[in-house]
Amino acid sequence: MSHNYKDTRPDMVIDIGKPMNFTGGLEFMDLTYTVMKKKKSDEGKWEKQEADLLHKITGYAPKGCITAVMGPSGAGKSTFLDGLAGRIASGSLKGRVSLDGNDMSPSLIKRTSAYIMQDDRLFPMLTVYETLMFAADFRLGSISRAEKRQRVETLIEQLGLSTARNTYIGDEGMRGVSGGERRRVSIGVDIIHGPSLLFLDEPTSGLDSTSAQSVIEKVHDIARIGSTVVLTIHQPSHRIQLLLDHLIILARGQLMYQGSPKDVGLHLVRMGRNLPKGENPIEFLIDVIQQYDQSEYGVDALAEFALTGMKPPQLSEIEMSFSTILPSPTPLPRRDKHSHDKGKSGKRLHLQTTGRSDQERDFDHSVRSPWNNSKSWSQSGIMQSIKLTPTRQRNVQKTPHPISASPGYYTYSSDILAGTPTPHSSDYTVNEDDYRTPNNAPDAAKYSLLGPKFANSFFEETWVLMRRNFINIRRTPELFLSRLVVLTIMGFMMATLFMNPDKSMQGITNRLSFFIFTVCLFFFSSNDAVPAFIQERFIFVRETSHNAYRASSYTIAGLITYLPFLLLQAAVYAGITWFALKLEGPFVYFLIILYVSLLTTNSFVVFVSSVVPNYILGYAAVIAFTALFFLFCGYFLNSHDIPPYWSWMNKVSTMTYPYEGLLINEYQRTEVFGQTLVGTDVSGINILQSLHIYHEKNPKWSKIYIMLGWAVLYRILFYIVLRFASKNQRT
């Protein structure tokens, strides 16, 4: 179901002509983000209600300029940025976005934009050059290797990273580039392909003033090349403010101001607040916003002023000083007659805005300046773009304001603020199933202009990912070497502990203990892979959010990368124990079953690490499943003695098959391995039959096939989680 907001009133025509120096950019219309929140009713019951985190924000970000999104804490800056970048799940955000006059869907936004997160997620053991070169390999698949190198070298020079070209990125455990350089590398990774739209979430967070200044200067240069840049920023210095071209100030999900930073002082004057001498206009406006937020009027009065030019009611001296006294941002009870809480389950809870009367909605967009420019737009220009019939003008001027009817209240006259309001089109629609579905959805031709969704083929992506994986493993050998050392030491210990078993029942028991311990050892040796993907998951989400590569190629590359290392681990352990213990059966089968066991357990651990949010829960989950698999593998109770309601656990346990395979390889023969107390010979076949694992129609190779099946299943589940659950977006 779609709701058409088209203005069909015959006596009012809105002209949204753009200034002559307009060169395009990002436009957004009526962005509203609604979530369900729990609220305690008067009866003391918790009820779910709808709440607007963003409420009908309309505006623009001009091309070739830096648009800064600012506001107090909790204003909705990051939420607003996520909404523009297509990082909010379809259906949750309503509204419309267009770029250079073309309607954009979330998929199109992601393919034409780059998003630099607040945290720098980079591989610490790659150099600056290597990091940017891999980004070029992912995003510039159509050009030659030499051209990629040239573009990377040029980008390093432009970002001021020449001195850090061959320096490792580094992390908490190893020194690398500085914080400002790391942030510039993050920017370079996402702009290597020359996106027309760039989003940055708090690019100066955690940086000193000099580094922050350097980062914004580089972003300023990127904007001047022709990109549309939108960033959120908190308390920028005066030098950084001079680099900002366009300003959007939010509070409680509503638009408070939009326009040039130079016009903030004029906005305050028209609001009725004089700027104190020596005070920063932007900081003072945010202080005023907080004063209103904690007053009985709320920020709705300022949102109405930004929307229509209606002068907000003046605050008392107590209310103006209340923000410095109040220990928490809890606002006073609102004087507005509109209720913020309907008090019924399922009703909308307006956390950031109140409703307006029909009379107000008749003219709330008619004074919007389409592209506010402090140099080229004047108040008369705006009035020329609005054509009202005389009847409508008289009716508008007589409309009372719901908040205040004081003599200072602005009407449709020369007193109306010409600035903050933004362009409003009369033909926008909102679809509940797609938060940005214009009247005419993008067709296949529009997508084809952008080229393929991915820059490389599946095989090319897999090869690049494998090269990067091998470099990371070579430079961080601790994970691989730790497993190899553990298996080597344990192999020597097992070889000396279980050497030369007796031809007795105790000797058979000792040999069974060796096999079950081997299976458990190989399972536990893969547990240290839990944090490996958890640490890498954030990089995966950042890179795949803008189609750097496929989740399938990432899954296959990770599998192929570890195959030779798993084989080496299995071969070292098998070589030590096989000859020392003089095991029976083919050595090749012994090696293969150990190798496939490592592959299966590694696939299982990787799948678990993709599901859990952190490595602590990952370790807990792996240990819990290890205990269950060990309990039902057939060592404590064979498959015949397990109760029927638990027999399925024997089939699910990934320890069952390597344990049974090792026993079949050792005892599937008529050779005597011991004697009972009464002197009866016990052959290998007798041992397998007593354990209920010998079947002539169930050869030992079937155990390997089943283990391979489990490994494939876990990798498929891992891929599904990556493909559909590992997305950096709000719901």
Side-chain angles (χ1 to χ4, degrees), residues 248-273:
I248 295 176
I249 297 180
L250 304 177
R252 293 192 177 271
Q254 298 187 84
L255 183 65
M256 299 288 104
Y257 172 81
Q258 180 172 215
S260 171
K262 299 178 182 179
D263 291 340
V264 175
L266 177 62
H267 181 80
L268 287 165
V269 171
R270 290 175 173 171
M271 187 190 297
R273 300 295 295 267

PDB file of all heavy atoms in Angstrom, residues 248-273:
ATOM      1  N   ILE A 248      23.254  20.837   8.181  1.00  0.00           N
ATOM      2  CA  ILE A 248      21.949  20.305   8.569  1.00  0.00           C
ATOM      3  C   ILE A 248      22.008  20.025  10.062  1.00  0.00           C
ATOM      4  O   ILE A 248      22.850  19.252  10.518  1.00  0.00           O
ATOM      5  CB  ILE A 248      21.604  19.013   7.803  1.00  0.00           C
ATOM      6  CG1 ILE A 248      21.454  19.296   6.313  1.00  0.00           C
ATOM      7  CG2 ILE A 248      20.327  18.382   8.345  1.00  0.00           C
ATOM      8  CD1 ILE A 248      21.218  18.041   5.477  1.00  0.00           C
ATOM      9  N   ILE A 249      21.145  20.683  10.833  1.00  0.00           N
ATOM     10  CA  ILE A 249      21.106  20.491  12.280  1.00  0.00           C
ATOM     11  C   ILE A 249      19.803  19.786  12.637  1.00  0.00           C
ATOM     12  O   ILE A 249      18.718  20.229  12.237  1.00  0.00           O
ATOM     13  CB  ILE A 249      21.229  21.826  13.032  1.00  0.00           C
ATOM     14  CG1 ILE A 249      22.595  22.461  12.729  1.00  0.00           C
ATOM     15  CG2 ILE A 249      21.070  21.622  14.530  1.00  0.00           C
ATOM     16  CD1 ILE A 249      22.825  23.785  13.431  1.00  0.00           C
ATOM     17  N   LEU A 250      19.923  18.693  13.381  1.00  0.00           N
ATOM     18  CA  LEU A 250      18.776  17.889  13.787  1.00  0.00           C
ATOM     19  C   LEU A 250      18.638  17.906  15.302  1.00  0.00           C
ATOM     20  O   LEU A 250      19.610  18.153  16.028  1.00  0.00           O
ATOM     21  CB  LEU A 250      18.930  16.439  13.318  1.00  0.00           C
ATOM     22  CG  LEU A 250      19.158  16.179  11.829  1.00  0.00           C
ATOM     23  CD1 LEU A 250      19.365  14.690  11.599  1.00  0.00           C
ATOM     24  CD2 LEU A 250      17.990  16.696  10.990  1.00  0.00           C
ATOM     25  N   ALA A 251      17.451  17.627  15.764  1.00  0.00           N
ATOM     26  CA  ALA A 251      17.188  17.441  17.189  1.00  0.00           C
ATOM     27  C   ALA A 251      15.958  16.554  17.320  1.00  0.00           C
ATOM     28  O   ALA A 251      14.911  16.839  16.738  1.00  0.00           O
ATOM     29  CB  ALA A 251      16.961  18.775  17.902  1.00  0.00           C
ATOM     30  N   ARG A 252      16.115  15.464  18.037  1.00  0.00           N
ATOM     31  CA  ARG A 252      15.032  14.498  18.245  1.00  0.00           C
ATOM     32  C   ARG A 252      14.384  14.067  16.925  1.00  0.00           C
ATOM     33  O   ARG A 252      13.180  13.957  16.801  1.00  0.00           O
ATOM     34  CB  ARG A 252      13.983  15.055  19.202  1.00  0.00           C
ATOM     35  CG  ARG A 252      14.507  15.237  20.613  1.00  0.00           C
ATOM     36  CD  ARG A 252      13.401  15.507  21.601  1.00  0.00           C
ATOM     37  NE  ARG A 252      13.941  15.610  22.950  1.00  0.00           N
ATOM     38  CZ  ARG A 252      14.110  14.593  23.794  1.00  0.00           C
ATOM     39  NH1 ARG A 252      13.788  13.380  23.388  1.00  0.00           N
ATOM     40  NH2 ARG A 252      14.596  14.773  24.992  1.00  0.00           N
ATOM     41  N   GLY A 253      15.240  13.871  15.930  1.00  0.00           N
ATOM     42  CA  GLY A 253      14.761  13.374  14.652  1.00  0.00           C
ATOM     43  C   GLY A 253      14.053  14.383  13.796  1.00  0.00           C
ATOM     44  O   GLY A 253      13.423  14.013  12.798  1.00  0.00           O
ATOM     45  N   GLN A 254      14.133  15.665  14.109  1.00  0.00           N
ATOM     46  CA  GLN A 254      13.483  16.710  13.322  1.00  0.00           C
ATOM     47  C   GLN A 254      14.514  17.717  12.826  1.00  0.00           C
ATOM     48  O   GLN A 254      15.577  17.887  13.432  1.00  0.00           O
ATOM     49  CB  GLN A 254      12.415  17.430  14.159  1.00  0.00           C
ATOM     50  CG  GLN A 254      11.297  16.528  14.625  1.00  0.00           C
ATOM     51  CD  GLN A 254      10.201  17.327  15.299  1.00  0.00           C
ATOM     52  OE1 GLN A 254       9.311  17.877  14.650  1.00  0.00           O
ATOM     53  NE2 GLN A 254      10.265  17.396  16.615  1.00  0.00           N
ATOM     54  N   LEU A 255      14.181  18.373  11.739  1.00  0.00           N
ATOM     55  CA  LEU A 255      15.080  19.353  11.138  1.00  0.00           C
ATOM     56  C   LEU A 255      14.976  20.676  11.880  1.00  0.00           C
ATOM     57  O   LEU A 255      13.896  21.260  11.994  1.00  0.00           O
ATOM     58  CB  LEU A 255      14.722  19.557   9.665  1.00  0.00           C
ATOM     59  CG  LEU A 255      15.616  20.508   8.868  1.00  0.00           C
ATOM     60  CD1 LEU A 255      17.023  19.947   8.772  1.00  0.00           C
ATOM     61  CD2 LEU A 255      15.037  20.744   7.479  1.00  0.00           C
ATOM     62  N   MET A 256      16.124  21.152  12.374  1.00  0.00           N
ATOM     63  CA  MET A 256      16.180  22.414  13.102  1.00  0.00           C
ATOM     64  C   MET A 256      16.716  23.551  12.236  1.00  0.00           C
ATOM     65  O   MET A 256      16.297  24.696  12.372  1.00  0.00           O
ATOM     66  CB  MET A 256      17.079  22.267  14.334  1.00  0.00           C
ATOM     67  CG  MET A 256      16.617  21.232  15.348  1.00  0.00           C
ATOM     68  SD  MET A 256      15.151  21.713  16.291  1.00  0.00           S
ATOM     69  CE  MET A 256      13.901  20.710  15.474  1.00  0.00           C
ATOM     70  N   TYR A 257      17.647  23.222  11.369  1.00  0.00           N
ATOM     71  CA  TYR A 257      18.238  24.252  10.511  1.00  0.00           C
ATOM     72  C   TYR A 257      18.863  23.577   9.310  1.00  0.00           C
ATOM     73  O   TYR A 257      19.398  22.468   9.392  1.00  0.00           O
ATOM     74  CB  TYR A 257      19.317  25.043  11.265  1.00  0.00           C
ATOM     75  CG  TYR A 257      20.089  25.995  10.377  1.00  0.00           C
ATOM     76  CD1 TYR A 257      19.566  27.247  10.050  1.00  0.00           C
ATOM     77  CD2 TYR A 257      21.324  25.640   9.844  1.00  0.00           C
ATOM     78  CE1 TYR A 257      20.268  28.113   9.221  1.00  0.00           C
ATOM     79  CE2 TYR A 257      22.032  26.504   9.024  1.00  0.00           C
ATOM     80  CZ  TYR A 257      21.497  27.746   8.707  1.00  0.00           C
ATOM     81  OH  TYR A 257      22.178  28.597   7.891  1.00  0.00           O
ATOM     82  N   GLN A 258      18.811  24.266   8.173  1.00  0.00           N
ATOM     83  CA  GLN A 258      19.501  23.825   6.976  1.00  0.00           C
ATOM     84  C   GLN A 258      19.935  25.037   6.174  1.00  0.00           C
ATOM     85  O   GLN A 258      19.127  25.935   5.915  1.00  0.00           O
ATOM     86  CB  GLN A 258      18.619  22.930   6.110  1.00  0.00           C
ATOM     87  CG  GLN A 258      19.345  22.460   4.862  1.00  0.00           C
ATOM     88  CD  GLN A 258      18.573  21.418   4.086  1.00  0.00           C
ATOM     89  OE1 GLN A 258      19.157  20.522   3.517  1.00  0.00           O
ATOM     90  NE2 GLN A 258      17.262  21.538   4.055  1.00  0.00           N
ATOM     91  N   GLY A 259      21.181  25.050   5.799  1.00  0.00           N
ATOM     92  CA  GLY A 259      21.689  26.165   5.024  1.00  0.00           C
ATOM     93  C   GLY A 259      23.177  26.338   5.227  1.00  0.00           C
ATOM     94  O   GLY A 259      23.877  25.451   5.725  1.00  0.00           O
ATOM     95  N   SER A 260      23.670  27.509   4.853  1.00  0.00           N
ATOM     96  CA  SER A 260      25.088  27.801   4.980  1.00  0.00           C
ATOM     97  C   SER A 260      25.448  28.014   6.448  1.00  0.00           C
ATOM     98  O   SER A 260      24.668  28.608   7.204  1.00  0.00           O
ATOM     99  CB  SER A 260      25.437  29.053   4.176  1.00  0.00           C
ATOM    100  OG  SER A 260      26.764  29.466   4.462  1.00  0.00           O
ATOM    101  N   PRO A 261      26.622  27.554   6.884  1.00  0.00           N
ATOM    102  CA  PRO A 261      27.042  27.836   8.264  1.00  0.00           C
ATOM    103  C   PRO A 261      27.127  29.329   8.555  1.00  0.00           C
ATOM    104  O   PRO A 261      26.965  29.742   9.702  1.00  0.00           O
ATOM    105  CB  PRO A 261      28.422  27.165   8.352  1.00  0.00           C
ATOM    106  CG  PRO A 261      28.405  26.099   7.303  1.00  0.00           C
ATOM    107  CD  PRO A 261      27.566  26.653   6.192  1.00  0.00           C
ATOM    108  N   LYS A 262      27.353  30.142   7.515  1.00  0.00           N
ATOM    109  CA  LYS A 262      27.452  31.590   7.714  1.00  0.00           C
ATOM    110  C   LYS A 262      26.108  32.220   8.061  1.00  0.00           C
ATOM    111  O   LYS A 262      26.073  33.339   8.579  1.00  0.00           O
ATOM    112  CB  LYS A 262      28.012  32.244   6.451  1.00  0.00           C
ATOM    113  CG  LYS A 262      29.415  31.765   6.072  1.00  0.00           C
ATOM    114  CD  LYS A 262      29.891  32.412   4.799  1.00  0.00           C
ATOM    115  CE  LYS A 262      31.280  31.897   4.404  1.00  0.00           C
ATOM    116  NZ  LYS A 262      31.749  32.505   3.133  1.00  0.00           N
ATOM    117  N   ASP A 263      25.013  31.535   7.760  1.00  0.00           N
ATOM    118  CA  ASP A 263      23.687  32.105   7.989  1.00  0.00           C
ATOM    119  C   ASP A 263      23.081  31.681   9.316  1.00  0.00           C
ATOM    120  O   ASP A 263      21.924  31.995   9.594  1.00  0.00           O
ATOM    121  CB  ASP A 263      22.736  31.696   6.857  1.00  0.00           C
ATOM    122  CG  ASP A 263      23.102  32.355   5.541  1.00  0.00           C
ATOM    123  OD1 ASP A 263      23.804  33.376   5.589  1.00  0.00           O
ATOM    124  OD2 ASP A 263      22.699  31.836   4.481  1.00  0.00           O
ATOM    125  N   VAL A 264      23.839  30.949  10.141  1.00  0.00           N
ATOM    126  CA  VAL A 264      23.291  30.510  11.423  1.00  0.00           C
ATOM    127  C   VAL A 264      22.992  31.701  12.316  1.00  0.00           C
ATOM    128  O   VAL A 264      21.973  31.730  13.019  1.00  0.00           O
ATOM    129  CB  VAL A 264      24.272  29.536  12.107  1.00  0.00           C
ATOM    130  CG1 VAL A 264      23.783  29.169  13.504  1.00  0.00           C
ATOM    131  CG2 VAL A 264      24.444  28.278  11.271  1.00  0.00           C
ATOM    132  N   GLY A 265      23.874  32.714  12.309  1.00  0.00           N
ATOM    133  CA  GLY A 265      23.625  33.908  13.112  1.00  0.00           C
ATOM    134  C   GLY A 265      22.353  34.614  12.701  1.00  0.00           C
ATOM    135  O   GLY A 265      21.571  35.062  13.559  1.00  0.00           O
ATOM    136  N   LEU A 266      22.104  34.738  11.394  1.00  0.00           N
ATOM    137  CA  LEU A 266      20.876  35.357  10.914  1.00  0.00           C
ATOM    138  C   LEU A 266      19.663  34.542  11.334  1.00  0.00           C
ATOM    139  O   LEU A 266      18.621  35.096  11.690  1.00  0.00           O
ATOM    140  CB  LEU A 266      20.939  35.489   9.392  1.00  0.00           C
ATOM    141  CG  LEU A 266      19.688  36.061   8.703  1.00  0.00           C
ATOM    142  CD1 LEU A 266      19.412  37.475   9.187  1.00  0.00           C
ATOM    143  CD2 LEU A 266      19.870  36.036   7.184  1.00  0.00           C
ATOM    144  N   HIS A 267      19.799  33.222  11.304  1.00  0.00           N
ATOM    145  CA  HIS A 267      18.715  32.345  11.731  1.00  0.00           C
ATOM    146  C   HIS A 267      18.367  32.600  13.201  1.00  0.00           C
ATOM    147  O   HIS A 267      17.188  32.633  13.586  1.00  0.00           O
ATOM    148  CB  HIS A 267      19.132  30.889  11.516  1.00  0.00           C
ATOM    149  CG  HIS A 267      18.098  29.882  11.888  1.00  0.00           C
ATOM    150  ND1 HIS A 267      17.033  29.567  11.078  1.00  0.00           N
ATOM    151  CD2 HIS A 267      17.949  29.115  13.001  1.00  0.00           C
ATOM    152  CE1 HIS A 267      16.287  28.648  11.658  1.00  0.00           C
ATOM    153  NE2 HIS A 267      16.825  28.355  12.832  1.00  0.00           N
ATOM    154  N   LEU A 268      19.392  32.786  14.019  1.00  0.00           N
ATOM    155  CA  LEU A 268      19.160  33.057  15.437  1.00  0.00           C
ATOM    156  C   LEU A 268      18.473  34.395  15.642  1.00  0.00           C
ATOM    157  O   LEU A 268      17.572  34.535  16.484  1.00  0.00           O
ATOM    158  CB  LEU A 268      20.497  33.024  16.187  1.00  0.00           C
ATOM    159  CG  LEU A 268      21.124  31.644  16.383  1.00  0.00           C
ATOM    160  CD1 LEU A 268      22.585  31.776  16.808  1.00  0.00           C
ATOM    161  CD2 LEU A 268      20.348  30.842  17.425  1.00  0.00           C
ATOM    162  N   VAL A 269      18.888  35.411  14.865  1.00  0.00           N
ATOM    163  CA  VAL A 269      18.270  36.732  14.986  1.00  0.00           C
ATOM    164  C   VAL A 269      16.802  36.668  14.630  1.00  0.00           C
ATOM    165  O   VAL A 269      15.943  37.222  15.326  1.00  0.00           O
ATOM    166  CB  VAL A 269      19.017  37.743  14.095  1.00  0.00           C
ATOM    167  CG1 VAL A 269      18.254  39.069  14.044  1.00  0.00           C
ATOM    168  CG2 VAL A 269      20.426  37.962  14.608  1.00  0.00           C
ATOM    169  N   ARG A 270      16.477  35.974  13.561  1.00  0.00           N
ATOM    170  CA  ARG A 270      15.082  35.863  13.161  1.00  0.00           C
ATOM    171  C   ARG A 270      14.272  35.028  14.146  1.00  0.00           C
ATOM    172  O   ARG A 270      13.057  35.152  14.229  1.00  0.00           O
ATOM    173  CB  ARG A 270      14.996  35.274  11.763  1.00  0.00           C
ATOM    174  CG  ARG A 270      15.490  36.238  10.702  1.00  0.00           C
ATOM    175  CD  ARG A 270      15.508  35.596   9.331  1.00  0.00           C
ATOM    176  NE  ARG A 270      15.822  36.576   8.299  1.00  0.00           N
ATOM    177  CZ  ARG A 270      16.066  36.284   7.034  1.00  0.00           C
ATOM    178  NH1 ARG A 270      16.039  35.016   6.659  1.00  0.00           N
ATOM    179  NH2 ARG A 270      16.343  37.226   6.163  1.00  0.00           N
ATOM    180  N   MET A 271      14.984  34.168  14.857  1.00  0.00           N
ATOM    181  CA  MET A 271      14.316  33.391  15.891  1.00  0.00           C
ATOM    182  C   MET A 271      14.029  34.241  17.121  1.00  0.00           C
ATOM    183  O   MET A 271      13.204  33.883  17.971  1.00  0.00           O
ATOM    184  CB  MET A 271      15.200  32.196  16.258  1.00  0.00           C
ATOM    185  CG  MET A 271      14.577  31.183  17.195  1.00  0.00           C
ATOM    186  SD  MET A 271      15.811  29.991  17.775  1.00  0.00           S
ATOM    187  CE  MET A 271      16.266  29.210  16.228  1.00  0.00           C
ATOM    188  N   GLY A 272      14.712  35.368  17.224  1.00  0.00           N
ATOM    189  CA  GLY A 272      14.533  36.228  18.385  1.00  0.00           C
ATOM    190  C   GLY A 272      15.605  36.040  19.431  1.00  0.00           C
ATOM    191  O   GLY A 272      15.439  36.476  20.569  1.00  0.00           O
ATOM    192  N   ARG A 273      16.734  35.416  19.058  1.00  0.00           N
ATOM    193  CA  ARG A 273      17.818  35.203  19.999  1.00  0.00           C
ATOM    194  C   ARG A 273      19.066  35.905  19.480  1.00  0.00           C
ATOM    195  O   ARG A 273      19.560  35.601  18.392  1.00  0.00           O
ATOM    196  CB  ARG A 273      18.103  33.707  20.166  1.00  0.00           C
ATOM    197  CG  ARG A 273      16.929  32.903  20.674  1.00  0.00           C
ATOM    198  CD  ARG A 273      16.541  33.304  22.087  1.00  0.00           C
ATOM    199  NE  ARG A 273      17.596  32.997  23.025  1.00  0.00           N
ATOM    200  CZ  ARG A 273      17.663  31.856  23.709  1.00  0.00           C
ATOM    201  NH1 ARG A 273      16.743  30.928  23.537  1.00  0.00           N
ATOM    202  NH2 ARG A 273      18.632  31.653  24.573  1.00  0.00           N
TER     203      ARG A 273
END
